[in-house]
Amino acid sequence: MKESARGKAAVGKERYSDARGYFDDDLCEFVITDMFPKRPLVNYLWSEDAVADADQFGFGKSLAGIGSFRRGLDCGERLVYIKDRKSGELYSPNRNYGRLPFEQFRCHVGLGYQKIVSVYNGLKVTFTLLVPDAGYAVLYLAEAEELAGKERDLDLYFALRPQANLTVHTSYGSADRDKEFGGLCYPHFSYQAETDYGCLYFASEHGFTSYCVSKGDFCGTYGSWEHPDGVAAQALPSRGTTFEDDYVAAVSLPLRLGPREQKSFAFALAAGRSAAESGALASSLAKTSVFYSQLALQKEKNASYQRVFRAEIPDPLLRSLGNTWLKRQLSLGKTWGRIYGKGFRDVMQDIAAFVSLDIPLARTRILYTLAKQYGNGNTIRMFEPDLLLPYNDGAAWIPATISAFLKESGDFGILEEIVPYLDGGEDSVLGHMVRGVEYLLGDLGSHGLVLLRGGDWNDSLNGAGNLNKGESVWLSLATVKAAKECAEILEKLGKKEEKERILGLAGRLSENILIKGMSGGHFIYAYDDWGGVIGGEESEEGKFYLNPQTWAVLADVGDRDTQNAVMDLVEEKLKCAFGYELCAPPYTKGSDRLGRVSYFVPGMVENASVYVHGVAFKIAADCRLGRGDLAFDTLRSVLCTNPKVQASGVEPYAVTNMFIGPDNPYRAGDAPMSWVTGSAGWLYRDLTEEIFGIKAEFDGLRISPVFPSCWNEAYAERIFRGVLYKISYRRTGRRRIAVEGSEIQGDILPPQTGKDSVAVTVEY
Amino acid sequence: MKESARGKAAVGKERYSDARGYFDDDLCEFVITDMFPKRPLVNYLWSEDAVADADQFGFGKSLAGIGSFRRGLDCGERLVYIKDRKSGELYSPNRNYGRLPFEQFRCHVGLGYQKIVSVYNGLKVTFTLLVPDAGYAVLYLAEAEELAGKERDLDLYFALRPQANLTVHTSYGSADRDKEFGGLCYPHFSYQAETDYGCLYFASEHGFTSYCVSKGDFCGTYGSWEHPDGVAAQALPSRGTTFEDDYVAAVSLPLRLGPREQKSFAFALAAGRSAAESGALASSLAKTSVFYSQLALQKEKNASYQRVFRAEIPDPLLRSLGNTWLKRQLSLGKTWGRIYGKGFRDVMQDIAAFVSLDIPLARTRILYTLAKQYGNGNTIRMFEPDLLLPYNDGAAWIPATISAFLKESGDFGILEEIVPYLDGGEDSVLGHMVRGVEYLLGDLGSHGLVLLRGGDWNDSLNGAGNLNKGESVWLSLATVKAAKECAEILEKLGKKEEKERILGLAGRLSENILIKGMSGGHFIYAYDDWGGVIGGEESEEGKFYLNPQTWAVLADVGDRDTQNAVMDLVEEKLKCAFGYELCAPPYTKGSDRLGRVSYFVPGMVENASVYVHGVAFKIAADCRLGRGDLAFDTLRSVLCTNPKVQASGVEPYAVTNMFIGPDNPYRAGDAPMSWVTGSAGWLYRDLTEEIFGIKAEFDGLRISPVFPSCWNEAYAERIFRGVLYKISYRRTGRRRIAVEGSEIQGDILPPQTGKDSVAVTVEY
């Protein structure tokens, strides 16, 4: 804590802000000040058991991950209402439907919580959500504080929407007040149920005076959340129901406040295998004291992530993102994938970025995820729920993650851990990795390139390889990169023969890529099943793809001149006002020889959007080629420092999966898919490992910055193998690194055993 | 027309009405006068190509049946708004969100149309919907009429919600104004599309001054249908979009009216395989003249159905239902099944009730549906979309429908029509029927009863027979009934040997039912796979089931004393304030030896609801036993003549699938599932064939009424084989039938060839 406090003090005080709010780096918050921004601004809250999202009103959805089953908890409105008992006047402090003249509104987007604070008529109401550190549950806290020095005779209502129905048969479901714990119970137990967790339970710390369990009762048949008949009435109807599409958990409580008095109301929604189990859990969690201790846990956990890397960055937004928010976003990915499911490739990449933040948890996640590999070396496309399509790239992502883990932790024991295969059998972690690489190196087509099969990173090129003839240049490059990472580990283990064999195959694959994988001076994307070129000048549309160029650099295929040349073409062909297109020109004609990509509207997703994952690869490639200014400009072009990005309405604190591409006739530049993307992990590594150049290696910490020319000095702190490295950078025009004043050879700091911290000076 | 006009004049003028509205039998309408009834009151509109529902606001969903694919057209709000150009004042004449003091409101629930009329501030606005007689389309007509003698300078807005997305990939979809036809176009063409009909098109008769294609643009990010930002603004934003979850088709048009002036605006939504195809269709339909000619077509078609059976019924509600609305509801079933899919058994029953209304269409539907039978004689459970679960009762429904068709039409040629089997091969219609009966007669378990397999009529007893050991008493009874119906046809064809063989097997099955299928003086429902009794005194729950008792009567199994005894037990065990429970007591413990039924909340669906289909069987059984008062009371108990049914909020003009049973702790008596039920067809036949006793037979029209004791006279008209029978009933205490004054022997009127109409007097 001491160290990090010092580091924090050293960070400049200027902060990013825009019309919607500002970063409060001291509290690790983004504070939303505009209650009605262009589009809702979303936060994610999660544990290993449950995940929730919440916008600036606190609205959103939550679900529990019960094995591979996703059980909904709540979804949609989460509403506090305040009703004056005398006048009947009614408003919602966290939604303000009527756009009343609130004296104040703030939504504190926090690490592990979302807190909405409003003041109206001298009444301060705070509504906070969090997901507890364990359990299939979500917690809600409503706090009211009298500010005007008056007596208040109010009622507080709280309403949310339990996702009680687990099947289409609403006849299984009912809801009513429960006698044992006094909360509201929503059982839905079905024949041949997909989950045992058939019961939701809503608990209220202080009980309630009236309640309601259906939307019809709460809003009224012809009412709405804005004008709920139930709240307008004297009391909620307090009756059970069954056969509902829309359940509600709504309660009313008296809220009598003296001058300056404050009261708090904790609520919890939990899932369980019975009314008793879910009731016990929800009741134990619906306590103000529990809420605050859980809030403290969240802050503590996130503080430890803050300390691992902390930098003074002469760009306020990049500082908030790099020190805080990118870590948060990639941590979501490493546990929850893309929420709707966990892509093998996605989770592997997120873990690779996550290892420095929490080594034990990263280790657990690696072992868990490797069990989703088949015995032949290929992997599942997605798990939880399983998606069994024959995608072919999964194994290519394993070595980078294993390598990152080994280099960060020095824990080579993981390589001997035994992990089962998805379809039977088992092997060590090392065996998993090698088998995956050998699978890819052997799965070649007629051009000697790796088969595309159902698809690769480009999920939507899913019509080009199903006959098992189409070959992917990008996947071939990824395979070369994976083979080299694998070989580096084998070398470290002294397995020279295995290493040489893999490098030999990778070398031949590299040659094939250079001979068969280029056209018109750049790397093509693939050959389809009929031998047609995808991503070449001869292609009718989609003539130039981003990822094969950047991955040639990342895999170090071709000489430096070739790499520079193709990256120059990237600038020429793909650059737009908010990043780089994934391919150009977009497809306008659906083709079954390509797949989904060609049917997407131009500018959408893989069809020539600015796919930020691709942009993140490009930044890494820029850095590898020493193009610091390009890397920096590219990074800033996809963040809210770019006015066009800000105008899209995207959260300043979250990276979007894509910007709708410049060729889209309708919504070019819009950013509708934030948070849930592998971009965050890559951008974090771009910033920390490529731009700041701080990278774990087997033999120590490498420091090899590629700064933009506008940065003449910088400062970063990095905890590596228990030692805090305090790294001061200064531009001098010569490369020189000194540890505690002593110059070292090369750019790898040797292990600093026995020390708590060391000062490093880097000239560049 | 002459005849029916006379018939109509003879019908009494007293009408059913309640707080929600009244029947207008002259116009065949139910007129809703309460804009905000307890629950929405729904109407269905359909052709063979498309189906729509609409409540008293006109809200609802529509879809096209394209082969086995269900393509959504619109869903949810369908809104007319009127905006004063000067004041900006805004309201919706068909929804009245603000509950303004309308001078008038009427929703005319019509046969094939839904017309909402309101008057506010001297402006009459009429909003009418219909489904055209052909094509994947829905038509909307907004008409405005100045009543106050003033000049009006208004804007009219119309908005609906096209269901444009056909896949989860919203990146396939976009929407914008189309240049060719000037309407709004919503393409969603996808890789490996499930349907070619990837394009929706919205056309406006008079074009528009501004438009909007997304909910975000129309309602606003934080707006609503009640307060749409788009309508509040000077003009709609008139821009395209992509990647939307919620599309909207909204247009604004100037509405300048002089005193008493009237204007009309036609709109159409259509699906097609391209913008050109859907645009051409929608544009051709979006015309006031087309709307009115389509409306005339609807009325003409329904008028022909009206003439087939028309009765003076000394119960106004029964009269409206019997003469008009039951026909309408069963006609929906015969084409659209249960909307979400077409159950083989459901469609077969609906056709059986439909044959008298439209013989050629019934014939087409029979041939179409028989192609859903497997070569082994069993049938699919549901088609469009196909549900391949091993339900075992499908074949038992075939003979009754064939028999009804033959008796109504005299068209024995249908028996020689060749129809394919679902899994290959083909056979004549006769072969299909016989094969089905023989399949069932041979599919016996250890008690010599028919196997239950995946389930029978009781869809939710789906855990009891999957090991192919459980046997169904009900299905055995249904098989006996089917075998007898089949044998009657074979007899008529002179196929004595085949007939005798089938009757012999049916006789042995009947014996087994009487020996093994009874317990505690009543018929049990089934044996489960483990030999346990379902629906017997020895059962822990669900000790007594309705359907095996009623079907023993319908199948004429057991002697009359036995039949009377089990029906007496029905009165004792199952009667409640709004009909008869399907079983009792309800299941409270989920059991995998029973299936879904036991997990349902008590009182829900097959778990002891008042399932009206079961009640309809019971009415028929009452009549077979000559229990006219019981039949009549039972019929009235499930209709709005029963105050408890009226209180449920159910449509007076539509039969509900179920009433939530009396043992339900939450919603006993509620009727949430109207229209979509096989009950309507059975109740229609109960009323016409059992109570009025007018039933087609091979040799003529049988007249054998079973009236309640409170009816001393009645009158009915029935068209049968081209002759209008005008039947006057009078209670005299002796059975006597005279045709044109001449008494006949027996109760079958011989063919009246060469006559247009005959007068029949029936004493009873």
Side-chain angles (χ1 to χ4, degrees):
Chain A
M1 286 300 278
K2 214 171 33 168
E3 262 59 39
S4 77
R6 253 186 281 160
K8 195 165 66 182
V11 172
K13 281 292 170 200
E14 74 284 28
R15 65 189 185 190
Y16 173 89
S17 67
D18 62 31
R20 300 164 298 171
Y22 59 86
F23 284 97
D24 181 335
D25 286 338
D26 290 345
L27 293 175
C28 295
E29 286 181 350
F30 183 82
V31 182
I32 301 170
T33 53
D34 179 3
M35 196 166 191
F36 303 100
K38 178 182 175 183
R39 73 160 176 75
L41 303 174
V42 174
N43 190 13
Y44 275 87
L45 323 169
W46 69 91
S47 68
E48 301 293 297
D49 289 338
V51 58
D53 60 58
D55 65 15
Q56 76 277 6
F57 305 132
F59 291 6
K61 66 184 175 305
S62 62
L63 56 84
I66 303 171
S68 68
F69 190 81
R70 296 287 165 273
R71 134 116 252 180
L73 296 171
D74 73 346
C75 182
E77 284 78 2
R78 296 161 177 148
L79 282 160
V80 181
Y81 295 89
I82 300 290
K83 188 166 85 167
D84 189 289
R85 289 171 74 94
K86 285 217 189 74
S87 69
E89 199 196 340
L90 177 73
Y91 79 104
S92 168
N94 65 307
R95 177 57 178 84
N96 192 8
Y97 281 107
R99 304 222 179 183
L100 303 167
F102 278 13
E103 285 112 70
Q104 197 198 73
F105 168 81
R106 293 283 183 275
C107 172
H108 299 263
V109 180
L111 304 185
Y113 62 91
Q114 184 87 331
K115 184 166 76 173
I116 295 103
V117 185
S118 70
V119 180
Y120 179 59
N121 270 344
L123 183 74
K124 179 178 174 181
V125 178
T126 303
F127 175 51
T128 315
L129 293 96
L130 66 74
V131 170
D133 66 324
Y136 304 134
V138 183
L139 309 189
Y140 315 86
L141 186 72
E143 296 164 294
E145 186 180 356
E146 208 292 319
L147 300 180
K150 298 191 291 188
E151 296 281 342
R152 300 295 185 104
D153 188 11
L154 308 167
D155 277 326
L156 181 142
Y157 289 76
F158 181 60
L160 55 78
R161 307 177 69 177
Q163 297 301 289
N165 285 325
L166 287 171
T167 73
V168 297
H169 293 288
T170 52
S171 293
Y172 287 133
S174 65
D176 203 357
R177 180 174 192 157
D178 160 68
K179 286 183 184 133
E180 187 175 358
F181 295 98
L184 304 179
C185 186
Y186 302 79
H188 184 111
F189 293 103
S190 64
Y191 178 56
Q192 297 176 326
E194 279 192 276
T195 178
D196 290 340
Y197 285 77
C199 197
L200 288 184
Y201 200 102
F202 174 82
S204 167
E205 182 176 28
H206 303 304
F208 41 81
T209 48
S210 66
Y211 73 94
C212 173
V213 289
S214 75
K215 180 162 180 265
D217 272 355
F218 188 77
C219 292
T221 305
Y222 305 106
S224 63
W225 298 105
E226 178 172 358
H227 304 295
D229 292 354
V231 182
Q234 189 67 26
L236 298 171
S238 300
R239 64 181 173 204
T241 192
T242 181
F243 199 61
E244 297 284 350
D245 290 321
D246 288 313
Y247 287 98
V248 158
V251 293
S252 71
L253 295 114
L255 176 61
R256 292 191 190 82
L257 292 171
R260 311 285 165 190
E261 194 182 358
Q262 185 172 351
K263 282 188 178 162
S264 78
F265 303 84
F267 307 99
L269 183 70
R273 284 165 290 197
S274 64
E277 186 185 53
S278 56
L281 177 59
S283 303
S284 73
L285 292 170
K287 294 194 170 73
T288 300
S289 58
V290 169
F291 195 96
Y292 275 100
S293 65
Q294 284 291 338
L295 201 56
L297 271 182
Q298 289 291 331
K299 292 189 176 180
E300 189 180 311
K301 188 181 75 176
N302 280 299
S304 77
Y305 291 6
Q306 297 302 302
R307 290 191 289 271
V308 169
F309 173 86
R310 175 178 292 278
E312 285 180 48
I313 305 177
D315 175 308
L317 179 57
L318 264 187
R319 187 186 69 220
S320 298
L321 287 172
N323 289 344
T324 302
W325 290 95
L326 289 176
K327 295 171 187 169
R328 185 71 183 157
Q329 190 172 352
L330 70 88
S331 299
L332 173 66
K334 72 93 185 52
T335 296
W336 288 99
R338 301 300 168 256
I339 313 292
Y340 58 78
K342 302 182 179 178
F344 184 93
R345 91 166 74 92
D346 304 317
V347 171
M348 270 292 158
Q349 289 173 83
D350 291 333
I351 297 172
F354 179 75
V355 286
S356 65
L357 303 180
D358 188 338
I359 291 168
L361 185 50
R363 192 182 205 274
T364 305
R365 285 278 142 197
I366 288 171
L367 300 180
Y368 185 82
T369 307
L370 279 181
K372 308 299 176 183
Q373 188 179 22
Y374 297 109
N376 76 349
N378 194 12
T379 77
I380 198 167
R381 163 67 188 90
M382 189 175 89
F383 53 100
E384 297 170 11
D386 290 353
L387 183 66
L388 299 172
L389 297 172
Y391 279 77
N392 213 26
D393 64 310
W397 303 97
I398 299 173
T401 303
I402 305 290
S403 173
F405 179 83
L406 295 175
K407 290 174 173 178
E408 185 70 32
S409 67
D411 167 17
F412 281 75
I414 193 175
L415 294 176
E416 283 144 45
E417 293 279 359
I418 300 300
V419 176
Y421 287 107
L422 192 57
D423 49 353
E426 60 178 30
D427 203 343
S428 68
V429 166
L430 180 66
H432 273 261
M433 177 180 68
V434 171
R435 198 178 292 199
V437 170
E438 289 185 334
Y439 164 77
L440 286 167
L441 287 168
D443 198 39
L444 308 182
S446 62
H447 299 89
L449 300 171
V450 182
L451 290 178
L452 174 62
R453 298 188 183 272
D456 60 18
W457 179 94
N458 192 325
D459 287 317
S460 296
L461 211 53
N462 61 338
N466 291 308
L467 303 180
N468 303 325
K469 292 182 177 166
E471 296 155 272
S472 168
V473 172
W474 176 83
L475 182 51
S476 300
L477 289 162
T479 298
V480 170
K481 177 172 176 287
K484 289 176 177 173
E485 289 156 347
C486 181
E488 189 191 16
I489 294 168
L490 293 170
E491 163 80 26
K492 187 77 187 166
L493 298 174
K495 294 176 181 288
K496 287 212 186 316
E497 197 177 324
E498 221 169 335
K499 170 198 140 189
E500 292 303 335
R501 191 163 49 77
I502 281 175
L503 282 184
L505 291 167
R508 279 201 286 287
L509 183 55
S510 296
E511 285 166 26
N512 294 339
I513 291 168
L514 290 167
I515 295 166
K516 306 283 193 178
M518 297 190 74
S519 163
H522 68 270
F523 293 92
I524 65 170
Y525 197 93
Y527 290 98
D528 67 29
D529 279 327
W530 303 268
V533 167
I534 299 171
E537 271 305 313
E538 58 272 63
S539 309
E540 194 185 346
E541 304 183 302
K543 292 167 180 285
F544 192 96
Y545 272 73
L546 173 58
N547 289 354
Q549 324 313 322
T550 56
W551 278 68
V553 179
L554 299 180
D556 202 13
V557 169
D559 57 24
R560 196 43 59 112
D561 286 346
T562 303
Q563 293 176 12
N564 274 311
V566 300
M567 289 300 288
D568 288 345
L569 284 174
V570 165
E571 300 296 329
E572 182 188 323
K573 305 270 192 186
L574 301 178
K575 188 173 181 176
C576 75
F578 39 87
Y580 292 77
E581 288 175 273
L582 198 56
C583 67
Y587 297 102
T588 60
K589 300 167 195 152
S591 164
D592 289 359
R593 292 191 171 195
L594 293 163
R596 215 155 57 198
V597 62
S598 63
Y599 288 84
F600 285 160
V601 174
M604 298 306 306
V605 211
E606 288 88 351
N607 189 16
S609 79
V610 172
Y611 211 100
V612 181
H613 208 187
V615 173
F617 300 153
K618 191 257 180 192
I619 295 167
D622 283 337
C623 289
R624 298 287 169 88
L625 297 179
R627 300 169 166 211
D629 283 332
L630 269 179
F632 184 65
D633 291 345
T634 302
L635 179 55
R636 284 167 50 99
S637 74
V638 296
L639 302 175
C640 277
T641 32
N642 180 348
K644 285 194 187 295
V645 173
Q646 202 187 113
S648 77
V650 71
E651 295 85 352
Y653 50 85
V655 178
T656 184
N657 184 58
M658 69 156 170
F659 296 97
I660 297 178
D663 294 304
N664 187 276
Y666 310 114
R667 298 181 61 187
D670 270 12
M673 296 168 71
S674 53
W675 272 101
V676 182
T677 162
S679 311
W682 273 82
L683 290 181
Y684 181 68
R685 298 184 78 181
D686 285 345
L687 181 70
T688 59
E689 298 184 7
E690 306 292 342
I691 295 176
F692 276 85
I694 306 172
K695 189 170 182 315
E697 297 287 358
F698 289 127
D699 305 323
L701 195 63
R702 185 194 301 273
I703 306 197
S704 176
V706 184
F707 285 133
S709 52
C710 60
W711 288 9
N712 289 319
E713 53 180 25
Y715 174 80
E717 296 181 353
R718 172 72 153 84
I719 296 175
F720 174 64
R721 302 201 192 168
V723 179
L724 176 69
Y725 291 80
K726 298 155 78 171
I727 308 162
S728 303
Y729 299 84
R730 196 157 52 91
R731 183 185 301 278
T732 62
R734 55 177 290 229
R735 293 248 159 199
R736 184 175 173 280
I737 298 178
V739 178
E740 300 284 358
S742 308
E743 184 170 352
I744 63 161
Q745 293 302 307
D747 57 5
I748 295 181
L749 313 182
Q752 306 289 319
T753 41
K755 295 182 189 159
D756 284 341
S757 74
V758 291
V760 181
T761 56
V762 180
E763 294 174 51
Y764 65 98
Chain B
M1 285 298 277
K2 215 170 33 166
E3 262 61 38
S4 77
R6 253 185 282 160
K8 197 166 67 184
V11 172
K13 280 294 169 198
E14 74 285 27
R15 65 188 187 191
Y16 174 89
S17 67
D18 61 30
R20 299 164 300 171
Y22 60 87
F23 285 96
D24 181 336
D25 285 338
D26 290 345
L27 294 174
C28 295
E29 287 183 349
F30 183 82
V31 183
I32 301 170
T33 54
D34 179 3
M35 196 165 191
F36 302 100
K38 178 183 174 183
R39 74 160 175 73
L41 302 175
V42 174
N43 191 11
Y44 275 86
L45 322 170
W46 68 92
S47 68
E48 302 292 298
D49 290 338
V51 58
D53 60 58
D55 65 15
Q56 75 277 8
F57 305 133
F59 291 7
K61 64 183 177 307
S62 62
L63 56 84
I66 303 171
S68 67
F69 190 80
R70 296 287 165 271
R71 134 117 253 180
L73 295 172
D74 73 345
C75 183
E77 285 78 2
R78 297 162 176 149
L79 281 161
V80 180
Y81 295 90
I82 300 291
K83 188 166 84 165
D84 189 289
R85 289 172 73 93
K86 286 219 186 72
S87 70
E89 199 195 340
L90 178 74
Y91 79 103
S92 168
N94 66 307
R95 177 57 178 83
N96 193 7
Y97 282 109
R99 304 220 179 185
L100 303 168
F102 278 11
E103 284 111 72
Q104 197 199 74
F105 168 81
R106 293 283 181 276
C107 172
H108 299 262
V109 180
L111 304 185
Y113 62 92
Q114 184 86 333
K115 183 167 76 173
I116 296 103
V117 184
S118 69
V119 180
Y120 179 59
N121 271 344
L123 183 74
K124 177 176 174 183
V125 178
T126 303
F127 174 51
T128 315
L129 294 95
L130 66 74
V131 170
D133 66 324
Y136 304 135
V138 184
L139 310 189
Y140 316 85
L141 185 73
E143 296 164 295
E145 184 181 356
E146 209 291 320
L147 299 181
K150 297 190 292 187
E151 296 282 341
R152 300 294 185 105
D153 188 12
L154 309 167
D155 277 326
L156 181 142
Y157 290 76
F158 182 60
L160 55 78
R161 308 176 70 177
Q163 299 300 291
N165 285 325
L166 287 172
T167 72
V168 299
H169 293 287
T170 52
S171 293
Y172 287 133
S174 65
D176 202 356
R177 179 173 192 158
D178 161 66
K179 285 182 187 136
E180 188 177 357
F181 295 97
L184 305 178
C185 186
Y186 303 78
H188 184 110
F189 293 103
S190 64
Y191 178 57
Q192 297 177 327
E194 278 193 273
T195 178
D196 291 339
Y197 285 77
C199 196
L200 288 185
Y201 200 101
F202 174 82
S204 167
E205 182 177 28
H206 303 304
F208 41 81
T209 48
S210 66
Y211 73 96
C212 172
V213 289
S214 74
K215 181 163 180 263
D217 272 355
F218 188 77
C219 292
T221 305
Y222 305 106
S224 63
W225 298 106
E226 180 172 354
H227 304 296
D229 291 356
V231 183
Q234 189 68 24
L236 297 171
S238 300
R239 65 181 171 203
T241 190
T242 181
F243 200 61
E244 296 284 348
D245 289 322
D246 289 312
Y247 288 98
V248 159
V251 292
S252 70
L253 294 116
L255 176 61
R256 291 190 190 84
L257 292 172
R260 311 287 166 187
E261 195 182 357
Q262 185 172 352
K263 283 187 178 164
S264 77
F265 303 84
F267 307 99
L269 182 71
R273 284 164 291 197
S274 64
E277 186 186 50
S278 56
L281 177 59
S283 303
S284 72
L285 292 170
K287 295 193 167 74
T288 300
S289 58
V290 170
F291 194 95
Y292 274 101
S293 66
Q294 284 291 337
L295 201 57
L297 271 183
Q298 289 290 332
K299 291 190 177 179
E300 188 181 314
K301 189 180 75 176
N302 280 299
S304 78
Y305 291 7
Q306 297 302 302
R307 290 191 288 271
V308 169
F309 174 86
R310 174 180 293 279
E312 284 181 48
I313 304 177
D315 176 309
L317 178 58
L318 265 186
R319 188 186 66 220
S320 299
L321 288 172
N323 290 343
T324 302
W325 290 94
L326 288 176
K327 295 172 188 168
R328 184 73 184 156
Q329 190 172 352
L330 70 90
S331 299
L332 173 66
K334 71 97 185 49
T335 296
W336 287 99
R338 301 302 168 255
I339 314 291
Y340 58 79
K342 302 182 179 178
F344 184 93
R345 92 167 72 94
D346 303 318
V347 171
M348 269 293 159
Q349 289 173 84
D350 291 333
I351 296 172
F354 180 75
V355 285
S356 65
L357 303 180
D358 188 338
I359 291 169
L361 185 51
R363 191 182 206 274
T364 305
R365 286 279 141 196
I366 288 171
L367 300 180
Y368 185 83
T369 307
L370 278 181
K372 307 300 176 182
Q373 187 179 22
Y374 298 110
N376 75 349
N378 194 12
T379 77
I380 199 168
R381 165 67 188 89
M382 188 175 89
F383 53 100
E384 300 171 9
D386 290 353
L387 183 66
L388 299 172
L389 297 172
Y391 277 77
N392 213 26
D393 63 311
W397 302 97
I398 299 173
T401 302
I402 304 289
S403 173
F405 178 83
L406 295 174
K407 290 175 173 178
E408 185 71 31
S409 67
D411 167 17
F412 281 76
I414 193 175
L415 294 175
E416 283 144 46
E417 294 277 0
I418 301 300
V419 176
Y421 287 107
L422 192 57
D423 50 353
E426 59 178 30
D427 204 343
S428 67
V429 166
L430 180 68
H432 273 262
M433 177 180 69
V434 172
R435 200 179 290 200
V437 170
E438 289 186 334
Y439 163 78
L440 286 166
L441 287 168
D443 198 40
L444 308 182
S446 62
H447 298 89
L449 301 170
V450 182
L451 291 177
L452 174 62
R453 297 189 185 271
D456 58 21
W457 179 95
N458 192 324
D459 287 318
S460 296
L461 211 54
N462 61 339
N466 292 308
L467 303 179
N468 303 328
K469 291 181 178 168
E471 295 155 274
S472 168
V473 172
W474 175 83
L475 182 52
S476 301
L477 289 162
T479 299
V480 170
K481 177 172 176 289
K484 289 177 177 174
E485 289 156 347
C486 181
E488 189 192 16
I489 294 168
L490 293 170
E491 162 80 25
K492 186 78 186 163
L493 297 174
K495 294 177 181 285
K496 287 214 184 317
E497 197 178 324
E498 221 169 335
K499 171 198 140 189
E500 292 303 333
R501 192 163 49 76
I502 282 175
L503 283 184
L505 291 167
R508 281 201 286 288
L509 183 54
S510 296
E511 284 165 28
N512 294 338
I513 291 168
L514 290 166
I515 296 166
K516 306 285 192 178
M518 297 191 73
S519 163
H522 68 270
F523 294 92
I524 65 169
Y525 197 93
Y527 290 99
D528 67 30
D529 279 327
W530 303 267
V533 167
I534 299 170
E537 270 306 311
E538 56 272 63
S539 309
E540 195 185 346
E541 304 183 304
K543 292 168 180 286
F544 191 95
Y545 272 73
L546 173 58
N547 290 354
Q549 323 314 322
T550 56
W551 278 68
V553 180
L554 299 180
D556 200 15
V557 168
D559 56 25
R560 196 43 60 110
D561 287 347
T562 304
Q563 293 175 13
N564 274 310
V566 299
M567 289 300 289
D568 288 344
L569 283 173
V570 164
E571 299 296 328
E572 183 188 322
K573 304 270 190 188
L574 301 178
K575 187 173 181 178
C576 75
F578 39 87
Y580 292 77
E581 290 175 272
L582 198 56
C583 66
Y587 297 102
T588 60
K589 300 166 194 153
S591 164
D592 289 358
R593 294 192 172 195
L594 293 163
R596 216 156 56 197
V597 62
S598 63
Y599 288 85
F600 285 160
V601 173
M604 298 307 304
V605 212
E606 288 88 351
N607 189 15
S609 79
V610 172
Y611 210 100
V612 181
H613 208 187
V615 173
F617 301 152
K618 191 258 182 193
I619 295 167
D622 283 337
C623 289
R624 300 287 169 91
L625 296 178
R627 299 171 167 209
D629 283 332
L630 270 179
F632 184 66
D633 291 346
T634 302
L635 178 57
R636 285 166 51 98
S637 75
V638 296
L639 302 175
C640 277
T641 30
N642 180 348
K644 285 193 186 297
V645 172
Q646 199 186 116
S648 76
V650 70
E651 294 84 353
Y653 51 85
V655 178
T656 183
N657 184 58
M658 70 156 169
F659 296 96
I660 297 178
D663 295 305
N664 186 277
Y666 310 114
R667 297 182 61 185
D670 270 12
M673 295 167 72
S674 52
W675 273 99
V676 183
T677 161
S679 311
W682 273 81
L683 290 181
Y684 180 67
R685 299 184 78 182
D686 285 346
L687 181 70
T688 59
E689 300 184 6
E690 306 293 341
I691 296 177
F692 275 85
I694 305 171
K695 190 171 181 313
E697 297 288 356
F698 289 126
D699 305 324
L701 194 64
R702 185 193 301 273
I703 307 197
S704 177
V706 184
F707 285 133
S709 53
C710 60
W711 289 9
N712 290 319
E713 52 182 25
Y715 174 79
E717 295 181 353
R718 171 71 152 84
I719 295 174
F720 174 63
R721 301 202 193 166
V723 178
L724 175 68
Y725 291 81
K726 300 155 78 171
I727 308 161
S728 303
Y729 299 84
R730 194 157 53 93
R731 185 185 300 279
T732 61
R734 52 178 291 230
R735 292 246 157 201
R736 185 175 171 279
I737 299 178
V739 179
E740 300 285 359
S742 309
E743 184 169 353
I744 62 159
Q745 293 302 308
D747 56 6
I748 296 182
L749 312 184
Q752 306 289 319
T753 40
K755 295 181 190 159
D756 284 342
S757 74
V758 291
V760 181
T761 55
V762 180
E763 294 174 53
Y764 65 97

